[in-house]
Amino acid sequence: MADTIVKIENLVKRYKDLIALDHLNLEIKQGEVFGLLGPNGSGKSTTISCLLSLLAFDKGNIEVFGRKMTPDNYEAKRNIGIIMQNVAVFDELTVIENIDYFCGLYIKNREERKKCVQDAIAFTELQDFTRFYPKKLSGGLLRRLNIACGIAHKPKLIILDEPTVAVDPQSRNKILEGIQKLNAEGATIIYTSHYMEEVEQICTRIAIMDKGKKIAEGTKDELKKMIKNTETVSVETSAVPADVLEKINALPHVYSACCTDGRLEVKCSGGKHNLIRILNVLQESDLHFGRVFSELPTLNDVFLEITGKALRDSD
Amino acid sequence: MFLHNLKYEFLQNIRARSLILWLILFPIILGTFFKVAFSGIYETTTVFSTVPVAVVEKGSNENFRQVMESLSEGDDALFETYYSDEESALKLLEEKKVSGILYAVDEQVSITVVSAEGGTSAEGIRRTIIKSFVEQYNANRSIIMDTISHSPEKLNDVVSELSEDMKCNENIPLTNGNHDNMLSYFYNLVAMVALLGSDLGLGIAVSSQGNLSAIGARKCCSPTRKIVSIITSMLGCIAVQTVCIFFSISFLAFVLQVDFGAKLPMVYLAGSVGGVLGVSFGFAIGSVSKLGVNAKGTVTTAFTLVCCFFSGLMIGNMKAVVSTYAPWFNEINPAAVISDSLYCLNFYDDYTRFTQKIITMLVMSVIFMLIGFFLTRRRKYASL
Ligand SMILES: Nc1ncnc2c1ncn2[C@@H]1O[C@H](COP(=O)(O)OP(=O)(O)OP(=O)(O)O)[C@@H](O)[C@H]1O
Ligand SMILES: [Mg+2]
């Protein structure tokens, strides 16, 4: 059984009337890439801040590396790398100076630090930009610098709070690959995001949060098994008459069918030939249709089913 | 470790563009502006050395005549003397051919001047010179008499010492001397630069507080103790501020040729201590958690300007006004304390008042720093 790196018990955090975290429990094991997934305002950043002892909380218990986390727990702090949601670098320092500065807060030995800084630069592929000031970096490069500043001291636990916000897909993939590499080198990762694709891609275990509560937890497969949806069939078509919808709804395994904006969406639970059966019904009813999709459930479906609303309302 | 932090604190502050603007460019512009605005006065202050006076005599004034003669000859003559009766003297005065009338009655001297107040600043200075000459003469009359009767050949020495004295003294008694006011603009400019260091101090608080900036949060998450990071930041800021102050003073003293007096190193010292005061003030304000970062910036800048206003940066005789209505305010107004310290250096020979001003600055700095430390000591925040 792997060691527990982070243990959060019954964490409650209130901002006046708003309960930002409501009896949250989390346990993160050595070597995991732990995903904290939730919509905006669900309390991900708050959880991280409490975990880091930045934020005072009302109730609960937090242990890191087996010891209670406090502002004075410098031993734990030495082994944590933190990449905040907001980029935290000095505009007046160059890329390499920024990394060196933040690394210096952890590593006092000069030679050792020099090596760490070089490693961090190589890792984030910022070699060509070491003399650049942050203002001159593109969004993606800036995020990479932000990451380099957080991981240069080779921490055992790396916490990334939405590191890919406003980053183009290519840079995003680089970042995600980097995180997996760090994990392969032995670091435990906590990764928060509201992009379910990212979380699906890299996380070994995921907790889904909503309104300060943990609503589900497990590997992505476990999470998907929790819901009855196994397949969603979408068909581009003109308006579907009510009686046809009824017929589709009556098909075995189908539990929901609706048509909006020329798109028929059918949700199925189990069964193997759902797509064929649905198309058959459409053909029998002389309805023309365009493209057809069959999708496996996503974490969004998990979220949707548990909370009754989409993970991300926009996009 | 310590040096590592210090190095980056320094680099980071010295490269901040707003800092360059406020702490370097602004004094250059404002100083140059003052210089241009006052250049007329400057010229006359260098020319004033010969003051035209009319002398009206009653009774015997042998000795006084001798003194006046020796003061009226040579290249650096103090006076240009016209002997006349009262009527024509008044006429000369009215026509502004002379700056004052000296009445000598049996070696006793008294004066009349054009008008008690007003006139150009050059006239003010000439009046002051005449006034202080009369005071000097009356105060030293017995010595002069002695010299004339016992060793007349030494009269020139005595008199030149007297006039030398006066040239040094010409600034001292200036209660309404405009020369004074002009210098006070430059002193206040130095005070302003020093206090604008509060912007740097603000940065210390902001960048070390987890709830005020992302960088602060990052620092709080590191194993470096807060006190260490604050102290290094503080030292870094003070170093940068000192560089800026040195630059400003050097610019004023050497480029604009502002007369800071003979004790220039002490001027630098006073400026630097003033800078420490500015930085620690900003640190204290920055640590007040209730205010937003922008609000704090506004507060420190406004505070700096208000202090400088009351100490006479915008209106030259503001300090005099304050000293009439609320003299205590000049003692605690940081800008007034800084500019006063420079004033004391220039116009007082001994260091008592200067030291007192420096101590006031240091005490205020310590108070502000303690407030700052007290307010930033918290390490967990209720809200980020
Ligand atoms: N300082 C604060 N004062 C009051 N409420 C706050 C404060 N910070 C956060 N909140 C509230 O707490 C809740 C959780 O916020 P949090 O930042 O943890 O969300 P998040 O999951 O990180 O969201 P996002 O994806 O937008 O980063 C939100 O409803 C937010 O409005
Ligand atoms: Mg967040």
Side-chain angles (χ1 to χ4, degrees):
Chain A
M1 172 109 192
D3 292 343
T4 299
I5 299 281
V6 176
K7 192 168 177 183
I8 297 177
E9 288 174 320
N10 277 323
L11 185 62
V12 177
K13 168 68 191 169
R14 271 201 205 90
Y15 290 113
K16 298 210 175 77
D17 296 338
L18 183 111
I19 299 180
L21 294 178
D22 188 357
H23 293 90
L24 185 74
N25 289 287
L26 289 176
E27 204 172 314
I28 295 152
K29 307 257 186 231
Q30 165 96 49
E32 281 185 327
V33 179
F34 188 86
L36 212 48
L37 179 66
N40 291 129
S42 56
K44 305 180 295 289
S45 299
T46 305
T47 310
I48 300 299
S49 300
C50 289
L51 169 60
L52 292 166
S53 244
L54 269 179
L55 202 55
F57 44 86
D58 299 275
K59 219 176 103 183
N61 218 342
I62 299 178
E63 274 179 23
V64 179
F65 300 117
R67 274 188 52 204
K68 190 173 161 63
M69 187 61 190
T70 63
D72 296 328
N73 191 345
Y74 295 117
E75 196 42 47
K77 285 187 174 180
R78 199 177 306 282
N79 289 309
I80 299 177
I82 166 81
I83 290 104
M84 293 281 190
Q85 184 164 3
N86 304 320
V87 174
V89 295
F90 289 103
D91 284 341
E92 296 84 11
L93 299 183
T94 61
V95 165
I96 189 162
E97 287 168 345
N98 261 302
I99 302 173
D100 190 34
Y101 173 79
F102 287 111
C103 190
L105 296 176
Y106 294 81
I107 295 175
K108 317 232 182 283
N109 183 297
R110 199 182 239 249
E111 290 308 310
E112 193 186 339
R113 189 171 69 233
K114 214 167 171 182
K115 169 133 196 346
C116 285
V117 171
Q118 287 309 327
D119 288 352
I121 289 171
F123 183 81
T124 45
E125 295 179 27
L126 286 167
Q127 294 93 334
D128 298 339
F129 307 97
T130 52
R131 305 271 157 222
F132 278 52
Y133 287 94
K135 285 252 155 65
K136 295 263 185 309
L137 296 178
S138 69
L141 288 173
L142 191 61
R143 286 277 162 187
R144 267 145 67 182
L145 169 62
N146 196 35
I147 293 173
C149 290
I151 58 145
H153 58 288
K154 304 202 171 20
K156 290 185 196 145
L157 171 63
I158 301 173
I159 301 172
L160 300 105
D161 194 358
E162 310 208 18
T164 57
V165 170
V167 168
D168 67 78
Q170 201 192 347
S171 280
R172 176 181 300 186
N173 272 334
K174 275 228 167 76
I175 291 173
L176 294 180
E177 281 165 22
I179 293 168
Q180 284 180 307
K181 212 160 96 195
L182 285 169
N183 180 244
E185 285 165 13
T188 306
I189 313 277
I190 300 178
Y191 186 91
T192 86
S193 180
H194 59 255
Y195 293 114
M196 55 193 170
E197 306 87 350
E198 289 182 356
V199 172
E200 278 203 61
Q201 189 181 331
I202 65 167
C203 293
T204 55
R205 219 152 54 83
I206 300 160
I208 301 181
M209 288 184 70
D210 186 40
K211 294 183 183 154
K213 287 198 182 99
K214 181 174 77 179
I215 55 171
E217 186 179 0
T219 64
K220 57 186 173 204
D221 295 330
E222 283 167 359
L223 286 172
K224 287 174 187 172
K225 276 185 201 138
M226 284 179 195
I227 57 173
K228 62 179 174 185
N229 179 297
T230 56
E231 184 181 7
T232 303
V233 175
S234 323
V235 182
E236 279 179 3
T237 173
S238 49
V240 181
D243 61 313
V244 180
L245 266 184
E246 227 162 80
K247 265 191 209 158
I248 293 174
N249 246 327
L251 288 172
H253 305 297
V254 169
Y255 67 94
S256 147
C258 62
C259 182
T260 44
D261 299 333
R263 192 178 170 103
L264 173 71
E265 204 171 86
V266 185
K267 291 184 186 282
C268 314
S269 177
K272 285 215 167 100
H273 309 291
N274 299 322
L275 180 60
I276 300 289
R277 291 203 194 105
I278 292 164
L279 294 183
N280 277 340
V281 173
L282 290 178
Q283 232 160 13
E284 283 163 16
S285 319
D286 266 346
L287 280 173
H288 299 286
F289 51 85
R291 288 182 292 171
V292 176
F293 309 87
S294 165
E295 287 162 57
L296 294 174
T298 61
L299 291 177
N300 191 30
D301 295 311
V302 177
F303 189 83
L304 185 63
E305 209 171 298
I306 298 174
T307 65
K309 61 177 193 210
L311 191 53
R312 275 141 69 213
D313 296 325
S314 55
D315 92 61
Chain B
M1 170 66 192
F2 192 73
L3 285 179
H4 171 84
N5 278 3
L6 199 56
K7 169 183 146 196
Y8 284 119
E9 258 337 305
F10 185 82
L11 275 181
Q12 178 227 325
N13 278 316
I14 203 86
R15 287 181 191 158
R17 207 166 297 157
S18 64
L19 174 113
I20 301 300
L21 182 71
W22 284 103
L23 294 179
I24 307 250
L25 221 53
F26 197 59
I28 291 181
I29 292 169
L30 203 55
T32 310
F33 169 78
F34 282 157
K35 172 79 181 183
V36 169
F38 298 139
S39 61
I41 300 166
Y42 251 100
E43 274 152 29
T44 42
T45 52
T46 49
V47 178
F48 71 53
S49 44
T50 306
V51 182
V53 289
V55 176
V56 177
E57 293 175 294
K58 281 198 187 109
S60 108
N61 296 295
E62 268 314 302
N63 297 335
F64 176 64
R65 252 178 192 264
Q66 256 183 309
V67 172
M68 285 310 281
E69 248 157 56
S70 63
L71 280 174
S72 309
E73 60 199 20
D75 284 342
D76 59 343
L78 187 61
F79 292 125
E80 190 185 343
T81 318
Y82 302 90
Y83 292 96
S84 66
D85 54 36
E86 183 159 4
E87 201 177 322
S88 40
L90 282 171
K91 209 166 153 208
L92 285 171
L93 191 59
E94 216 163 290
E95 289 164 1
K96 302 208 171 175
K97 295 245 169 67
V98 295
S99 300
I101 303 172
L102 296 176
Y103 292 91
V105 183
D106 295 325
E107 310 284 4
Q108 294 275 8
V109 186
S110 69
I111 48 162
T112 299
V113 286
V114 180
S115 58
E117 299 293 326
T120 67
S121 57
E123 279 163 9
I125 290 162
R126 291 199 187 104
R127 267 201 310 272
T128 319
I129 289 177
I130 299 172
K131 230 191 268 177
S132 55
F133 163 72
V134 171
E135 279 160 18
Q136 291 269 328
Y137 180 81
N138 284 329
N140 297 303
R141 200 175 41 216
S142 56
I143 301 175
I144 296 169
M145 298 289 189
D146 261 15
T147 315
I148 291 175
S149 52
H150 297 297
S151 39
E153 74 281 358
K154 283 195 183 145
L155 177 67
N156 265 344
D157 292 347
V158 172
V159 167
S160 74
E161 203 166 305
L162 193 72
S163 69
E164 207 47 53
D165 244 20
M166 208 146 43
K167 276 181 182 157
C168 300
N169 282 351
E170 67 205 21
N171 292 312
I172 297 181
L174 306 186
T175 43
N176 63 342
N178 290 299
H179 181 65
D180 222 19
N181 273 347
M182 177 189 58
L183 268 179
S184 111
Y185 280 107
F186 291 107
Y187 292 158
N188 274 304
L189 189 56
V190 174
M192 188 197 70
V193 177
L195 290 183
L196 282 176
S198 53
D199 234 34
L200 294 172
L202 192 65
I204 304 174
V206 170
S207 73
S208 66
Q209 293 275 64
N211 59 343
L212 293 183
S213 65
I215 286 176
R218 189 166 244 166
K219 282 189 187 172
C220 284
C221 292
S222 81
T224 298
R225 277 158 209 270
K226 198 171 206 171
I227 186 91
V228 175
S229 89
I230 288 182
I231 288 176
T232 45
S233 300
M234 184 76 86
L235 291 176
C237 284
I238 289 175
V240 170
Q241 172 70 343
T242 307
V243 170
C244 294
I245 296 264
F246 271 48
F247 177 87
S248 293
I249 293 179
S250 304
F251 180 81
L252 294 178
F254 298 115
V255 179
L256 297 185
Q257 300 281 322
V258 172
D259 174 24
F260 282 109
K263 303 164 197 144
L264 203 55
M266 287 297 159
V267 173
Y268 285 111
L269 173 75
S272 313
V273 177
V276 173
L277 174 57
V279 170
S280 46
F281 169 73
F283 174 55
I285 293 295
S287 307
V288 178
S289 56
K290 289 269 180 265
L291 290 171
V293 175
N294 289 335
K296 286 173 183 171
T298 314
V299 167
T300 51
T301 307
F303 178 86
T304 302
L305 291 179
V306 167
C307 286
C308 289
F309 173 77
F310 281 114
S311 120
L313 179 68
M314 296 84 175
I315 302 170
N317 60 350
M318 204 56 210
K319 203 188 276 170
V321 173
V322 172
S323 79
T324 329
Y325 294 103
W328 53 269
F329 186 69
N330 278 339
E331 299 300 318
I332 58 161
N333 174 359
V337 176
I338 297 169
S339 62
D340 277 351
S341 73
L342 299 176
Y343 179 90
C344 294
L345 267 185
N346 204 352
F347 295 141
Y348 294 91
D349 263 339
D350 74 315
Y351 284 100
T352 333
R353 292 198 41 159
F354 174 71
T355 316
Q356 189 192 326
K357 296 291 172 192
I358 294 286
I359 290 174
T360 310
M361 285 187 233
L362 288 174
V363 168
M364 287 201 276
S365 308
V366 169
I367 292 174
F368 285 135
M369 280 187 203
L370 288 179
I371 293 176
F373 279 122
F374 183 76
L375 292 174
T376 46
R377 133 203 82 111
R378 202 167 17 120
R379 284 160 312 167
K380 259 189 174 183
Y381 303 94
S383 139
L384 293 182

